[in-house]
Structures are given as structure tokens and as C-alpha cells.
Amino acid sequence: MSETPDRVPEEPRGTSGATSGPAPDTEPAISLRGLTKTFGDFTAVDGIDLDVPRGQIFGFLGPNGSGKTTTIRMLTGTLRPKAGQARVLGVDVVRHPDRVKRRIGYMSQKFALFEDMTVEENLRFYAGVYDLDPQVFAAQREYVLRMADLVGREDELTRNLSVGWRQRLALGAATIHEPELLFLDEPTSGVDPVARRQFWDLLYDLASRGVTLFVTTHYMDEAAHCNRLAFIYRGRIIADGSPAEIRADHMEQRIFDITTRYADAVLPQLENDPEIEEAYLSGASLHAVVSASSTLTDASLRQRLVAAGCPDTVVAEVDPSIEDVFVNLVARQR
Amino acid sequence: MSARRIRLLIWKEFTQLRRDPLLIRLLLVMPVLQLILFGYVVAVDIRNLATAVVDLDQTSTSRKLEAAFSGSGYFTITQTPATEDDLRPLLDRGTVKVALVIPEGTQDRLDRGETAPIGIIVDGSDSQISAVGSGYASQIIAQFNADRMTEQGVSVTAPGIDAQVRVMFNPTLDPVNTMIPGLIAAIMMISLMAIMSQAVVKERESGTLEQMFVTPIHATEYLIGKLTPYAALATAQMLLVAAGGLFWFRVPFNGNFWVVLVGLALFMLTCIGLGLLVSLVSRTRHQAQQAVMFIMIPTMVLSGFIFPIQSMPAIIQPLTNLIPLTWALEVLRGAFVKGSGFEALAVPMIVLAGFAVVIFGASIVATRRRIAE
């Protein structure tokens, strides 16, 4: 990866007392203090504090409507916060959005390509927007076409590409200017599992080259791919840390995984059981949460369910997944 | 502001337009189709009105008068009933729209130096035909009188056939002459409002608008890049209509080119503003279409583009002042037909400028704020 020409002067940081010059890369990629945004009476983002270290894949998780997109829009300088501080790559993005825009990339779930333009034209447009010089563009174009597996299809209209290719091309367009920080807002929604897997490989590749990735998703399995996570719920951050830390700090309960043909009957059974704190669907099976002090075991829980008229039920105690942690965190908030 | 980025945005817009062959065809066909509709369909009815002549005089004067009518091109004598009683059924059935009755002794009266009354009967069931038909008839008679007097060397004050109506400015009363200047403004309004608002809403729907504002593109650059291509397209369409009007329909242009240019420029800003406002209130292209209809229908009906304002009920007439197209028509028709200059058109010009400032200004401020949101 060639060096991004950094024409944007770093903001002088008077308080640090350091000698002037470019801000050290030691400052977090993103640093938020008390960031708040309201729409009328509705508080979309409620005073969040967050630090995202450089060079990591940071997962920003939360259900729909919890404030993920609003946060991203404030971080990309397209939405003004009501209160609080937001520093992106060492720059106060509220006061100087233009100093940041050249150094960040953004890709949304809509894969905002111009559908009535060709692959080549889309790339040329975004390269032009960032004023890439022709040699840099030639190299980047080459790289993106190979990465998106679109060599030889440069003159196809993007509307004719299938979703996996569109997604990779959108990623290429969003990174054509080699941003230091890339925001991805639910980049994999509506994409099949194979394409999702391939897409995450590309994200790892970017991260390995030093790009910081800020990814929102509501696919909990994707959370495990991240170096660090933050959970946002109703505009507040309810947990953050590495996946292991989050599991350790927020999940003292035990989890049973229940595979059954009678999920419709078993789920109410579990919900009514006083020993079980929480029961929910998880993928193809059911998860039941019990307190750490519970005496329930695989066998005793299975016994109960069989006795209740659900034979062929398999019960196994499992390590909590990120999804389990999240469901429990949300349940506790209610 | 970067001129390079604006050029890039304009290139992008034209590239996208090129990929929509249906839209381009519509943009070219629409003005041509409207030229044909408003130029021919509206014009044909008023020419060659089927006319009956009841000549009870049967003299050289009465025949000369008939010849003046049939030679004018507005009246075609299709029936020559022997008596007035035979006229009624012809008018009732609509076989003729106009009837000319020359009473016995018309030539004698004129020779004696008396006023000679003649009858012109017009089918009033079509108000346009009756108004225009009687106008033409009065004109022909006035001409007839004038010719007769010069022939005889009589002074103008001598009595003749009584005629009082004068049609000024558009002596042939050809509706094309007022229709085409109006069409120029109407086409611009449709193009800028309907097509530009679609383009902006489409960009929001597809998420590319959101994407672009994460890049260094500024709101002002985006707006200029968006407006320029559509303003250019609308200008091309107007030139097409103007050329068709001037060279094919031979609409006379008596006015000042700059009056037309300034009037259209002011109206263009208003149209751009309306288009942007439509795109601001619409989430989907479908909604934008509905919003455009909501503006276009009262505009077409109340501006005087099709129906004369004078023929509207008195309560409605003040409302026409709120329609920007009303004032654009006044400027364009004034300049084309009457050859009016800036001084004569000061009021409509100032009103157009007011609309431009308020509507265009508000739309730019609102769009910038919305984009910044």
C-alpha cells in the first residue's frame, strides 16, 4: 500500500504540551466523550464515551434503531452532535469535518454505487472526488478490480452485478483513496453467507495493512471477528472491550443449548421455568440461561423437557456466545 | 469550492443521463409533441370556419363582401341558402359555425351614403370560436369599408358598414403566436421541476447522496453539479421550441432578445427552486411525481397558459397572481407579440425576480441544511 499523501494539516493540540507537528499515531483512531444527538424529543445517542485504538477491527453492535448509524454519521462529519466531543484521527470532527473527510472512508449497507454507471466510471468518479493523481489511481484501480474479482468487467453497469460483487466494488470505491479509518455501516446485510465470509477476509486484509475498521452489524456471529466490541442499546453503550473481556465481565450465568424438534412447545416451557432466567432462539437451537449457582445440568434439564412431552431433545451446556451476552445485557436493561 | 469537483459531478450527471435513453427521448419528444399539439391542434379549429352566406342583395358589392370573407382564410363558405329561414337548421346541426346575412338593398344603401346593416351570426356554443369568429368578421368588414372608400375617393368619415372591433398586436389572432411563447416557459418548468427532482430523490433513495457527503464534496459543489446539467437540458428544449415556433409556425418575434433572456433566467431560478423543494419533501420518486403534479395542475389551469385569465371567475382571478408561470407568460407574450421592452414589463419582471429570490433562495438554504443534517 503506497503512502497516502497527507495534505491535511493536523490540528495543533495545545493542551498536550508536545512539540507541534503531525499528531502522533498513538492517539486513538476515535475518541468520544459525552457524544449526544437528539431529534426533537428523541435522544438517539445519549452521552457516549468510546475509544477505538488504531489498526483494529472495532465492532459496534446493537439492535436496529439503537443509535449506530447516527453515531457513524456524527463521526463522518455529516451530522452535528448536540453535545459532546468527537475526535477522529486526532481531529475535532465537529469543528473541522473537512480535515477528516479525506482520511476516512465510508461504506453503507446500500453499497452506494451509481447503478447506471459502469464499474470503471464509479471508480473514476470516487478517485476524482479525492483528487488522486493518475499514477495512484492506476495502481488503486488495478488493486480494486482484482480484489473485487471484476477484471475484464470494467465496462459493465454496476446494476447488473450480483450482490457479492457489488459489495466488494463498493468497498473498493470507499477505500480508493486509502483511508486510515474506514466506517462500515452494516456492510453485510442482505448478503449470502459465502459472500459475507469472503467480505470479512477482505476486511482482515485491510486491517493487516494498518487500516482501522469501525464496523456496525447486527449479525452476532460477525462480532467474534472483531478485536474489540461495543454494545449500544437505546443510545447508550452498555458494554465494551474485547470479545473475551465482554464474555468474562458480563456473563456469569451458564448457558444450555437445546436442540429439539418441538421448539414451539419447549420455548414456553423454558420461559415458565422459575430456574431459567432467559430463553430464546439462537440459530437453529434454543438457548436457556441459568444463574451460576443453579444446580441444573444437561441431564436434569433434558429430563424435565422429556417429562413435559418433548422427546428427542438434546441439551448441552455451552460457552456463552457474544449473542448470549448481548441478549442478557439487553434483558438486564429492561 | 473546487471547480474540478464540480466538473466531475457534471460529468457524472451527464453519464447517468446518457444511460437513460427513454428519458432522453422523452426530453426531445416532449417539446416536439407539445409544439404539434399546441401549434396545430389549437390552431386548426380557428381557421377555415364553416360559413353560410345568405345573399339577398345579389349585387357586385355583396359578392365582393363574400369574396373578402372567403379570401381571408378564416371562413370557408360551405353553404349558400336562399333564405334566412334555412340558416337555423344549419347552425343547429353545427354544419356551419358562422353565417353572413346580406340584406336586400345593401348596395343601394351604400350608394345613397347610408349605413348598411348586415348580419353576422356566430355559433356561441363554443366561446372560443364565437369570440375569434366575430373578431375576424369585424376585421374583414373594416378592411372592406376602407377599401371601398379609397376606391371611391370618399373621406373616411363617410358612412359605410358599421364595424367597431379592432384586434391589436396579433392581427391574425393566430393562437400559435401566444401559445408558443407560453410553451417555452411551460416546457422549462416541466423539465426542471419534474426531471431534476427525480434525479435528486433517486440519489437519496440509492444512498449515493449520503455516500458523497462523507467525501470532500461540499453541499454547494453538489448543488451546482446537479443544477447545471438540468439547466442546460432545459435550455436545449427551450431552443427547440423557440426554433420550431419561429421557423415552422412563423411566430413573429417583435421584441427585445434581452427581455426574453432575463425573463427566462428569472423564471428558471424559480423552477429550479420548486424542483429542489419537491425533492426535499419527497422520500421516494413516486412521491416526487405526485408533488410535481400537485404544482403543475393549478399552474397549467390558472396561469393563462391554456385558458385566458379574463375568462375566469372574478374570485379566482387574484389567485393567478400567485402562480409564477402567469408572470413568465406575461413577459414572454409581451416580448414576442407586442414587442414590449423592460419598461413596459417592469411589473412582471419584478414579480418574477421576487419569486426567484424567495423560492430559489429558500430551496438552496433548505437543501444545504438538509444535506448538512
Side-chain angles (χ1 to χ4, degrees):
Chain A
M1 187 162 163
S2 60
E3 277 298 313
T4 305
D6 191 357
R7 291 178 220 86
V8 185
E10 289 282 355
E11 197 187 36
R13 288 161 54 244
T15 49
S16 68
T19 51
S20 58
D25 276 359
T26 50
E27 183 161 351
I30 298 171
S31 171
L32 308 180
R33 293 293 174 268
L35 194 69
T36 302
K37 179 73 194 177
T38 54
F39 297 106
D41 288 339
F42 173 67
T43 304
V45 175
D46 193 0
I48 63 177
D49 296 336
L50 194 66
D51 284 300
V52 177
R54 294 207 186 213
Q56 290 200 345
I57 302 184
F58 190 90
F60 197 48
L61 279 66
N64 289 329
S66 55
K68 295 185 303 249
T69 300
T70 306
T71 305
I72 286 202
R73 292 185 59 206
M74 288 190 280
L75 295 181
T76 52
T78 51
L79 192 65
R80 283 186 76 84
K82 180 162 188 273
Q85 201 192 36
R87 294 180 75 82
V88 172
L89 299 170
V91 178
D92 182 343
V93 74
V94 182
R95 272 197 288 157
H96 306 291
D98 287 342
R99 294 191 192 165
V100 178
K101 283 184 171 177
R102 212 171 267 283
R103 299 167 60 196
I104 60 173
Y106 169 73
M107 177 184 162
S108 76
Q109 54 187 321
K110 287 183 175 169
F111 314 154
L113 299 162
F114 299 100
E115 298 207 333
D116 38 14
M117 292 183 16
T118 63
V119 171
E120 171 84 30
E121 284 162 351
N122 268 284
L123 293 179
R124 202 156 6 122
F125 176 77
Y126 282 111
V129 164
Y130 291 104
D131 200 10
L132 295 194
D133 78 48
Q135 279 147 7
V136 176
F137 173 56
Q140 282 296 98
R141 176 184 171 279
E142 210 37 50
Y143 168 76
V144 171
L145 289 174
R146 251 184 300 114
M147 176 271 277
D149 193 20
L150 285 169
V151 176
R153 300 176 68 182
E154 296 87 343
D155 292 331
E156 260 184 63
L157 293 183
T158 54
R159 81 157 73 90
N160 298 336
L161 301 176
S162 41
V163 89
W165 277 271
R166 283 233 302 270
Q167 183 196 39
R168 289 193 296 267
L169 179 62
L171 179 68
T175 55
I176 197 146
H177 58 300
E178 300 175 280
E180 296 160 56
L181 169 60
L182 179 62
F183 292 96
L184 298 124
D185 193 4
E186 311 228 343
T188 52
S189 72
V191 177
D192 66 78
V194 177
R196 266 169 66 191
R197 184 70 244 172
Q198 287 175 335
F199 186 74
W200 272 94
D201 287 340
L202 294 174
L203 296 189
Y204 284 133
D205 194 41
L206 280 169
S208 73
R209 292 193 283 163
V211 180
T212 308
L213 295 139
F214 188 91
V215 187
T216 74
T217 180
H218 56 247
Y219 289 115
M220 294 301 159
D221 57 322
E222 290 184 346
H225 301 319
C226 300
N227 303 109
R228 282 178 73 83
L229 298 172
F231 281 133
I232 184 168
Y233 183 68
R234 293 185 179 169
R236 290 167 190 267
I237 294 199
I238 56 176
D240 76 309
S242 70
E245 282 166 9
I246 285 181
R247 276 196 211 108
D249 294 353
H250 297 280
M251 200 76 202
E252 49 293 330
Q253 295 102 316
R254 295 157 60 209
I255 306 281
F256 291 105
D257 183 276
I258 300 150
T259 312
T260 176
R261 283 195 288 139
Y262 310 100
D264 288 346
V266 172
L267 192 57
Q269 187 76 34
L270 295 170
E271 279 168 345
N272 292 329
D273 195 318
E275 254 188 282
I276 291 166
E277 293 182 353
E278 203 70 42
Y280 46 87
L281 278 165
S282 173
S285 53
L286 296 168
H287 277 194
V289 183
V290 298
S291 73
S293 57
S294 168
T295 54
L296 265 180
T297 63
D298 301 358
S300 63
L301 181 56
R302 181 173 181 280
Q303 211 86 65
R304 276 189 209 185
L305 294 172
V306 172
C310 305
D312 301 334
T313 297
V314 179
V315 178
E317 185 165 354
V318 293
D319 285 336
S321 66
I322 290 294
E323 183 173 10
D324 294 317
V325 178
F326 192 44
V327 168
N328 275 282
L329 278 168
V330 168
R332 247 180 274 163
Q333 293 291 317
R334 293 193 183 115
Chain B
M1 283 268 281
S2 148
R4 198 186 47 74
R5 276 200 295 268
I6 291 171
R7 273 204 306 278
L8 187 74
L9 284 161
I10 293 174
W11 165 78
K12 182 219 92 187
E13 206 63 39
F14 274 120
T15 307
Q16 290 181 293
L17 274 168
R18 227 178 48 219
R19 295 281 150 67
D20 197 342
L22 181 68
L23 181 66
I24 293 177
R25 259 176 255 160
L26 278 176
L27 287 176
L28 288 176
V29 168
M30 190 170 64
V32 173
L33 193 72
Q34 298 205 354
L35 262 179
I36 293 169
L37 276 176
F38 289 110
Y40 278 118
V41 181
V42 180
V44 159
D45 280 351
I46 312 292
R47 289 181 184 279
N48 302 317
L49 287 171
T51 305
V53 174
V54 183
D55 184 356
L56 301 171
D57 196 36
Q58 298 286 352
T59 57
S60 64
T61 303
S62 69
R63 277 186 290 274
K64 225 184 269 174
L65 191 56
E66 283 172 51
F69 268 76
S70 61
S72 68
Y74 304 124
F75 303 97
T76 303
I77 296 166
T78 54
Q79 303 283 336
T80 48
T83 68
E84 250 182 285
D85 295 338
D86 299 333
L87 263 182
R88 188 63 200 262
L90 292 173
L91 284 162
D92 281 351
R93 271 184 266 123
T95 315
V96 297
K97 297 287 181 195
V98 181
L100 172 67
V101 181
I102 310 170
E104 205 179 336
T106 298
Q107 183 173 341
D108 291 348
R109 279 203 191 103
L110 291 173
D111 289 347
R112 284 200 302 270
E114 293 171 16
T115 300
I118 62 157
I120 293 168
I121 303 152
V122 180
D123 180 352
S125 61
D126 184 324
S127 60
Q128 187 133 19
I129 289 180
S130 62
V132 173
S134 57
Y136 291 160
S138 307
Q139 245 185 310
I140 291 168
I141 289 165
Q143 188 63 41
F144 178 85
N145 281 339
D147 290 350
R148 208 180 125 264
M149 285 161 190
T150 39
E151 252 169 52
Q152 301 181 346
V154 189
S155 84
V156 193
T157 50
I161 292 172
D162 189 26
Q164 288 168 342
V165 181
R166 288 271 193 298
V167 180
M168 283 175 73
F169 305 129
N170 185 5
T172 54
L173 263 185
D174 197 332
V176 168
N177 292 354
T178 52
M179 222 18 128
I180 298 226
L183 192 56
I184 294 175
I187 284 266
M188 175 163 82
M189 183 160 182
I190 295 170
S191 268
L192 279 177
M193 239 175 65
I195 296 162
M196 198 185 66
S197 64
Q198 290 286 303
V200 175
V201 174
K202 176 176 144 196
E203 205 132 77
R204 183 165 325 115
E205 267 184 316
S206 68
T208 47
L209 190 69
E210 193 190 344
Q211 183 77 41
M212 277 190 275
F213 290 113
V214 178
T215 71
I217 296 173
H218 282 263
T220 315
E221 292 166 356
Y222 172 78
L223 278 172
I224 297 173
K226 199 82 195 174
L227 304 184
T228 310
Y230 292 96
L233 270 179
T235 306
Q237 287 182 305
M238 287 192 295
L239 288 175
L240 195 64
V241 174
L246 292 174
F247 300 117
W248 182 257
F249 290 102
R250 308 226 166 257
V251 172
F253 181 73
N254 305 314
N256 179 337
F257 171 75
W258 294 105
V259 171
V260 174
L261 199 73
V262 171
L264 282 176
L266 290 173
F267 187 56
M268 184 182 257
L269 290 177
T270 307
C271 294
I272 289 173
L274 286 172
L276 283 177
L277 290 175
V278 164
S279 68
L280 277 178
V281 298
S282 315
R283 286 192 174 279
T284 64
R285 272 178 275 181
H286 183 71
Q287 283 176 347
Q289 224 169 357
Q290 300 292 317
V292 167
M293 288 297 281
F294 180 79
I295 299 177
M296 275 324 278
I297 289 174
T299 293
M300 285 304 180
V301 174
L302 293 177
S303 62
F305 176 54
I306 299 171
F307 311 109
I309 292 175
Q310 290 73 18
S311 68
M312 292 175 196
I315 314 168
I316 301 290
Q317 287 192 18
L319 288 181
T320 62
N321 292 332
L322 301 175
I323 309 276
L325 184 61
T326 307
W327 302 95
L329 291 180
E330 198 155 321
V331 169
L332 286 178
R333 286 176 177 167
F336 265 77
V337 181
K338 298 191 235 178
S340 309
F342 281 107
E343 215 169 300
L345 294 172
V347 173
M349 281 287 190
I350 290 167
V351 176
L352 276 180
F355 274 121
V357 168
V358 172
I359 296 180
F360 182 73
S363 72
I364 293 291
V365 170
T367 307
R368 284 192 50 133
R369 187 175 304 160
R370 173 73 172 266
I371 285 168
E373 267 294 292

